[in-house]
Amino acid sequence: QVQLVQSGAEVRKPGASVKVSCKASGYTFTSYHIHWVRQAPGQGLEWMGVINPGTLNTKYAQNYQGRVTMTKDTSTDTVYMDLNSLRSEDTAMYYCCRNKHYFDYWGQGTLVTVSS
Amino acid sequence: EIVMTQSPATLSVSPGERATLSCRASQSVSSNLAWYQQKSGQTPRLLIYGASTRATGIPARFTGSGSGTEFTLTISSLQSEDFAVYYCQQYNDWPPAYTFGQGTKLEIK
């Protein structure tokens, strides 16, 4: 069955960076885009960007341009989301999710807390 | 950027009754719209894509409709497990700049 398993919770200080992983299984890794969506506490969903594991193409939301990098490791069917220059407003649950346009499978989420 | 506006922010409905949730796009997204359900403390779940196609395993009481800028999610005969927050999402933009609505909280009346 399709699964997206994310890395565990992280705590960072302002100005630091964080790298969250998302390991895919149960389907052909290179056949589906992986997106990252975040949700601040008590807030709605916000799309951050997408990577095509088959071509390495990426597209980032304007709000994150220059701060986010999405990469992949085909040998382990894993996608990574790297966010730098963290600030307190980046405290959120970060989800990876699958598919080209709408998101049919979601990871369990990774809580990133930014606090001094 | 396409802005998605959901209404109402909160909807109170009794179990067994019908709920109607609305989503409006700031410009046409054709039928490139999805709906998600998120229960408290859980991951969002895909309900509807293509504005009206139910995702795998979604009960028939969930119905999506609309195109262009106006969309509706109807839940007939509400069950206790349906009380949650619902989000719409457009995926019309390319290169992608997908946006979500702010959500509608469906609560028990």
Side-chain angles (χ1 to χ4, degrees), chain A residues 64-101:
Chain A
Y64 298 94
Q65 291 276 2
R67 276 216 301 149
V68 70
T69 304
M70 296 176 188
T71 57
K72 62 103 176 181
D73 182 345
T74 307
S75 68
T76 59
D77 290 355
T78 301
V79 168
Y80 299 91
M81 188 280 297
D82 201 324
L83 186 63
N84 59 41
S85 302
L86 290 168
R87 34 202 187 238
S88 59
E89 310 89 88
D90 294 317
T91 293
M93 187 71 80
Y94 290 77
Y95 296 102
C96 63
C97 38
R98 187 193 85 151
N99 216 345
K100 187 172 183 181
H101 298 302

Side-chain angles (χ1 to χ4, degrees), chain A residues 33 35 37 39 43-47 50 59-63 95 99-104 106-109, chain B residues 1 34 36 38 42-46 48-50 87 89-91 93-102:
Chain A
H33 293 58
H35 299 251
V37 173
Q39 186 171 38
Q43 303 301 308
L45 302 169
E46 181 184 19
W47 181 78
V50 58
K59 172 65 179 177
Y60 305 133
Q62 196 150 5
N63 286 351
Y95 296 102
N99 216 345
K100 187 172 183 181
H101 298 302
Y102 52 86
F103 312 134
D104 58 355
W106 295 62
Q108 84 276 19
Chain B
E1 175 182 296
Y36 300 86
Q38 187 178 32
Q42 296 188 18
T43 298
R45 178 174 72 145
L46 176 68
I48 301 284
Y49 62 92
Y87 295 95
Q89 176 230 341
Q90 67 82 16
Y91 51 92
D93 277 351
W94 189 265
Y98 303 141
T99 46
F100 291 88
Q102 81 280 17

Side-chain angles (χ1 to χ4, degrees), chain B residues 1-77:
Chain B
E1 175 182 296
I2 298 175
V3 177
M4 307 301 293
T5 303
Q6 292 186 240
S7 61
T10 303
L11 182 61
S12 299
V13 182
S14 300
E17 294 190 340
R18 174 193 301 254
T20 301
L21 289 68
S22 296
C23 175
R24 172 176 291 177
S26 60
Q27 62 190 76
S28 177
V29 297
S30 187
S31 295
N32 297 316
L33 185 105
W35 289 94
Y36 300 86
Q37 175 194 68
Q38 187 178 32
K39 298 180 182 178
S40 181
Q42 296 188 18
T43 298
R45 178 174 72 145
L46 176 68
L47 298 175
I48 301 284
Y49 62 92
S52 61
T53 302
R54 276 187 296 275
T56 303
I58 301 304
R61 64 179 181 274
F62 291 89
T63 302
S65 62
S67 66
T69 62
E70 300 284 345
F71 300 90
T72 300
L73 175 68
T74 302
I75 313 170
S76 63
S77 189

